[in-house]
Amino acid sequence: MAPQDALHGWDDAITAQAYAAFTRAYPMYNATSRDLARRARLTTSGLVIDLCGGTGATATAILDLVPPAARVISVDNAPAMQRIGRRLVPDPRLTWIAAAAEDLDDHVPAATADAVVCNSAIWKTDTPEVFTAVRRVLRPGGRFVFNIGGGFAGVHHRDEQTARTGPSLNSLIRQIAARDYGYTPPPADHTPKLSPSTVSRQLAQARMSVLATDIVAQHTTMAEKKAWLSIPVFARPDGDLSHAQRMDILTKAYALTTPQTPTVTSWLVVVAQRPEEQP
């Protein structure tokens, strides 16, 4: 099943505005979107799906690579995100569909998409259902390219260790939350939610082939991390705290860091394909 918070908070105007501002002000989404779009090999595509497309950062990268006559469909189940996206990406080649990723094949004709791209969201879905839906809409030979945060995949790029110069912002947040608000963190669960082996197994069950997996590092700064954690749906820590309290904790934690301190986030990037020989 999908996580209980798969949609919670996303269909909200404040969250959507903050999220859109972040994707345009900081390089993370642009960089990951360009990387996924490049791996999808879009130069001869006629139809590409931007799955869980949010406010259009990934759709923009896709539009930069597809032929002039190609169509792009952005699918997301948060209308608030799409309302902003329509204003930010007013390209006539781009169509917006408000729907859950699991219902993709209810909105796109079977075997018509040359590629499906999903940036920074697949772990928030019911992946077996989504993989099956993606397979149905892909043409034979079509590519499915997506990424998974390293924490969810249980993978770590070597740069994570070499770049670290002090405590992470998340660890400082937990310390201050405990000190100032009596926060008790839940028991640590280090079991990967979507390990590479789990992803491969689920894709095989959906009758898709894994062409490549890659662990990549996204280099950012402490200032970018703070901006990310200021978005309501990403604010930490979890638990019975108000957003104002979380922002107070974040401000205090950030004050113990240096804005330009480098941080590294690991990602598992997966390139899958609907095989040519399957009906």
Side-chain angles (χ1 to χ4, degrees), residues 35-275:
D35 178 56
L36 295 179
R38 176 184 59 80
R39 293 172 189 260
R41 297 186 179 177
L42 305 177
T43 53
T44 61
S45 296
L47 174 64
V48 180
I49 310 300
D50 176 19
L51 192 62
C52 305
T55 60
T58 302
T60 299
I62 293 170
L63 288 163
D64 287 342
L65 292 180
V66 295
R71 295 187 300 123
V72 178
I73 299 175
S74 183
V75 178
D76 196 281
N77 61 350
M81 301 284 281
Q82 292 195 330
R83 282 193 291 272
I84 291 179
R86 290 173 188 271
R87 297 198 303 268
L88 293 175
V89 194
D91 193 305
R93 297 175 295 167
L94 177 59
T95 300
W96 301 83
I97 294 178
E102 293 82 356
D103 299 329
L104 170 66
D105 52 341
D106 290 339
H107 301 274
V108 178
T112 57
D114 296 288
V116 176
V117 179
C118 184
N119 189 4
S120 309
I122 199 70
W123 62 86
K124 286 289 189 181
T125 71
D126 184 329
T127 47
E129 285 195 23
V130 170
F131 292 170
T132 298
V134 167
R135 193 258 177 202
R136 287 173 181 154
V137 304
L138 280 174
R139 63 165 176 79
R143 287 194 165 201
F144 178 30
V145 184
F146 58 95
N147 55 14
I148 302 171
F152 292 94
V155 300
H156 301 279
H157 193 277
R158 60 184 179 275
D159 287 0
E160 272 199 69
Q161 296 301 322
T162 58
R164 181 164 295 175
T165 59
S168 69
L169 190 55
N170 280 333
S171 66
L172 291 171
I173 285 171
R174 289 191 294 270
Q175 293 171 20
I176 292 170
R179 183 194 71 192
D180 294 357
Y181 293 94
Y183 172 74
T184 302
D189 181 4
H190 301 294
T191 304
K193 296 176 176 60
L194 275 177
S195 67
S197 60
T198 297
V199 171
S200 294
R201 185 183 72 253
Q202 292 180 358
L203 286 167
Q205 290 170 343
R207 294 187 294 154
M208 281 196 286
S209 302
V210 175
L211 299 181
T213 59
D214 193 14
I215 299 172
V216 302
Q218 179 67 34
H219 294 259
T220 60
T221 64
M222 201 66 76
E224 182 169 350
K225 184 72 172 179
K226 176 184 182 284
W228 172 260
L229 293 173
S230 298
I231 301 171
V233 292
F234 300 129
R236 296 290 181 268
D238 294 328
D240 190 20
L241 293 167
S242 69
H243 183 64
Q245 289 172 327
R246 290 189 177 92
M247 291 302 96
D248 174 61
I249 293 166
L250 176 61
T251 298
K252 292 174 179 175
Y254 183 64
L256 301 175
T257 71
T258 302
Q260 295 310 309
T261 295
T263 66
V264 175
T265 303
S266 298
W267 294 87
L268 175 68
V269 180
V270 180
V271 180
Q273 184 180 50
R274 175 176 173 175

